[in-house]
PDB file of all heavy atoms in Angstrom:
ATOM      1  N   PHE A 191     -54.202  80.361  24.012  1.00 80.00           N
ATOM      2  CA  PHE A 191     -54.110  81.338  22.916  1.00 80.00           C
ATOM      3  C   PHE A 191     -55.531  81.758  22.550  1.00 80.00           C
ATOM      4  O   PHE A 191     -56.406  80.923  22.328  1.00 80.00           O
ATOM      5  CB  PHE A 191     -53.421  80.705  21.698  1.00 80.00           C
ATOM      6  CG  PHE A 191     -53.265  81.659  20.545  1.00 80.00           C
ATOM      7  CD1 PHE A 191     -52.283  82.621  20.550  1.00 80.00           C
ATOM      8  CD2 PHE A 191     -54.126  81.583  19.452  1.00 80.00           C
ATOM      9  CE1 PHE A 191     -52.132  83.504  19.479  1.00 80.00           C
ATOM     10  CE2 PHE A 191     -53.990  82.454  18.385  1.00 80.00           C
ATOM     11  CZ  PHE A 191     -52.986  83.421  18.402  1.00 80.00           C
ATOM     12  N   ASP A 192     -55.737  83.068  22.508  1.00 84.00           N
ATOM     13  CA  ASP A 192     -57.071  83.619  22.247  1.00 84.00           C
ATOM     14  C   ASP A 192     -57.365  83.546  20.739  1.00 84.00           C
ATOM     15  O   ASP A 192     -57.227  84.534  20.015  1.00 84.00           O
ATOM     16  CB  ASP A 192     -57.128  85.057  22.754  1.00 84.00           C
ATOM     17  CG  ASP A 192     -58.507  85.681  22.602  1.00 84.00           C
ATOM     18  OD1 ASP A 192     -59.473  84.923  22.338  1.00 84.00           O
ATOM     19  OD2 ASP A 192     -58.624  86.914  22.733  1.00 84.00           O
ATOM     20  N   ILE A 193     -57.783  82.373  20.284  1.00 86.00           N
ATOM     21  CA  ILE A 193     -58.044  82.169  18.857  1.00 86.00           C
ATOM     22  C   ILE A 193     -59.192  83.053  18.386  1.00 86.00           C
ATOM     23  O   ILE A 193     -59.109  83.687  17.332  1.00 86.00           O
ATOM     24  CB  ILE A 193     -58.367  80.686  18.580  1.00 86.00           C
ATOM     25  CG1 ILE A 193     -57.163  79.806  18.934  1.00 86.00           C
ATOM     26  CG2 ILE A 193     -58.757  80.490  17.115  1.00 86.00           C
ATOM     27  CD1 ILE A 193     -57.420  78.330  18.766  1.00 86.00           C
ATOM     28  N   LEU A 194     -60.266  83.104  19.187  1.00 90.00           N
ATOM     29  CA  LEU A 194     -61.422  83.912  18.800  1.00 90.00           C
ATOM     30  C   LEU A 194     -61.031  85.396  18.686  1.00 90.00           C
ATOM     31  O   LEU A 194     -61.425  86.077  17.728  1.00 90.00           O
ATOM     32  CB  LEU A 194     -62.549  83.742  19.814  1.00 90.00           C
ATOM     33  CG  LEU A 194     -63.834  84.544  19.538  1.00 90.00           C
ATOM     34  CD1 LEU A 194     -64.409  84.166  18.180  1.00 90.00           C
ATOM     35  CD2 LEU A 194     -64.854  84.318  20.655  1.00 90.00           C
ATOM     36  N   GLY A 195     -60.260  85.880  19.648  1.00 87.00           N
ATOM     37  CA  GLY A 195     -59.815  87.270  19.602  1.00 87.00           C
ATOM     38  C   GLY A 195     -58.961  87.554  18.378  1.00 87.00           C
ATOM     39  O   GLY A 195     -59.101  88.607  17.740  1.00 87.00           O
ATOM     40  N   ALA A 196     -58.072  86.618  18.021  1.00 84.00           N
ATOM     41  CA  ALA A 196     -57.222  86.798  16.848  1.00 84.00           C
ATOM     42  C   ALA A 196     -58.059  86.849  15.573  1.00 84.00           C
ATOM     43  O   ALA A 196     -57.807  87.676  14.683  1.00 84.00           O
ATOM     44  CB  ALA A 196     -56.196  85.659  16.766  1.00 84.00           C
ATOM     45  N   ILE A 197     -59.068  85.978  15.476  1.00 89.00           N
ATOM     46  CA  ILE A 197     -59.924  85.946  14.286  1.00 89.00           C
ATOM     47  C   ILE A 197     -60.716  87.251  14.159  1.00 89.00           C
ATOM     48  O   ILE A 197     -60.801  87.838  13.075  1.00 89.00           O
ATOM     49  CB  ILE A 197     -60.874  84.735  14.344  1.00 89.00           C
ATOM     50  CG1 ILE A 197     -60.071  83.432  14.201  1.00 89.00           C
ATOM     51  CG2 ILE A 197     -61.929  84.825  13.231  1.00 89.00           C
ATOM     52  CD1 ILE A 197     -60.895  82.184  14.413  1.00 89.00           C
ATOM     53  N   ILE A 198     -61.297  87.703  15.281  1.00 91.00           N
ATOM     54  CA  ILE A 198     -62.074  88.950  15.257  1.00 91.00           C
ATOM     55  C   ILE A 198     -61.181  90.119  14.856  1.00 91.00           C
ATOM     56  O   ILE A 198     -61.574  90.979  14.059  1.00 91.00           O
ATOM     57  CB  ILE A 198     -62.728  89.215  16.627  1.00 91.00           C
ATOM     58  CG1 ILE A 198     -63.734  88.113  16.967  1.00 91.00           C
ATOM     59  CG2 ILE A 198     -63.422  90.574  16.643  1.00 91.00           C
ATOM     60  CD1 ILE A 198     -64.264  88.172  18.381  1.00 91.00           C
ATOM     61  N   PHE A 199     -59.979  90.155  15.408  1.00 83.00           N
ATOM     62  CA  PHE A 199     -59.054  91.234  15.098  1.00 83.00           C
ATOM     63  C   PHE A 199     -58.676  91.230  13.619  1.00 83.00           C
ATOM     64  O   PHE A 199     -58.651  92.284  12.960  1.00 83.00           O
ATOM     65  CB  PHE A 199     -57.799  91.097  15.960  1.00 83.00           C
ATOM     66  CG  PHE A 199     -56.842  92.247  15.838  1.00 83.00           C
ATOM     67  CD1 PHE A 199     -57.090  93.435  16.500  1.00 83.00           C
ATOM     68  CD2 PHE A 199     -55.709  92.146  15.055  1.00 83.00           C
ATOM     69  CE1 PHE A 199     -56.215  94.509  16.391  1.00 83.00           C
ATOM     70  CE2 PHE A 199     -54.835  93.209  14.937  1.00 83.00           C
ATOM     71  CZ  PHE A 199     -55.075  94.392  15.605  1.00 83.00           C
ATOM     72  N   MET A 200     -58.378  90.070  13.069  1.00 81.00           N
ATOM     73  CA  MET A 200     -58.018  89.972  11.650  1.00 81.00           C
ATOM     74  C   MET A 200     -59.177  90.414  10.761  1.00 81.00           C
ATOM     75  O   MET A 200     -58.974  91.108   9.760  1.00 81.00           O
ATOM     76  CB  MET A 200     -57.593  88.536  11.308  1.00 81.00           C
ATOM     77  CG  MET A 200     -56.221  88.154  11.829  1.00 81.00           C
ATOM     78  SD  MET A 200     -55.637  86.543  11.218  1.00 81.00           S
ATOM     79  CE  MET A 200     -56.660  85.437  12.162  1.00 81.00           C
ATOM     80  N   LEU A 201     -60.393  90.021  11.133  1.00 88.00           N
ATOM     81  CA  LEU A 201     -61.568  90.434  10.356  1.00 88.00           C
ATOM     82  C   LEU A 201     -61.760  91.952  10.418  1.00 88.00           C
ATOM     83  O   LEU A 201     -62.116  92.582   9.411  1.00 88.00           O
ATOM     84  CB  LEU A 201     -62.815  89.723  10.878  1.00 88.00           C
ATOM     85  CG  LEU A 201     -62.904  88.212  10.607  1.00 88.00           C
ATOM     86  CD1 LEU A 201     -64.125  87.624  11.306  1.00 88.00           C
ATOM     87  CD2 LEU A 201     -62.965  87.936   9.112  1.00 88.00           C
ATOM     88  N   ALA A 202     -61.512  92.541  11.584  1.00 87.00           N
ATOM     89  CA  ALA A 202     -61.676  93.978  11.740  1.00 87.00           C
ATOM     90  C   ALA A 202     -60.682  94.748  10.868  1.00 87.00           C
ATOM     91  O   ALA A 202     -61.059  95.706  10.173  1.00 87.00           O
ATOM     92  CB  ALA A 202     -61.505  94.369  13.210  1.00 87.00           C
ATOM     93  N   ILE A 203     -59.425  94.334  10.885  1.00 79.00           N
ATOM     94  CA  ILE A 203     -58.406  95.030  10.090  1.00 79.00           C
ATOM     95  C   ILE A 203     -58.662  94.826   8.599  1.00 79.00           C
ATOM     96  O   ILE A 203     -58.501  95.748   7.786  1.00 79.00           O
ATOM     97  CB  ILE A 203     -56.997  94.542  10.468  1.00 79.00           C
ATOM     98  CG1 ILE A 203     -56.729  94.813  11.952  1.00 79.00           C
ATOM     99  CG2 ILE A 203     -55.942  95.219   9.609  1.00 79.00           C
ATOM    100  CD1 ILE A 203     -56.870  96.261  12.355  1.00 79.00           C
TER     101      ILE A 203
END
Side-chain angles (χ1 to χ4, degrees):
F191 181 77
D192 184 13
I193 297 177
L194 180 59
I197 292 173
I198 297 171
F199 187 78
M200 286 188 286
L201 290 174
I203 300 303

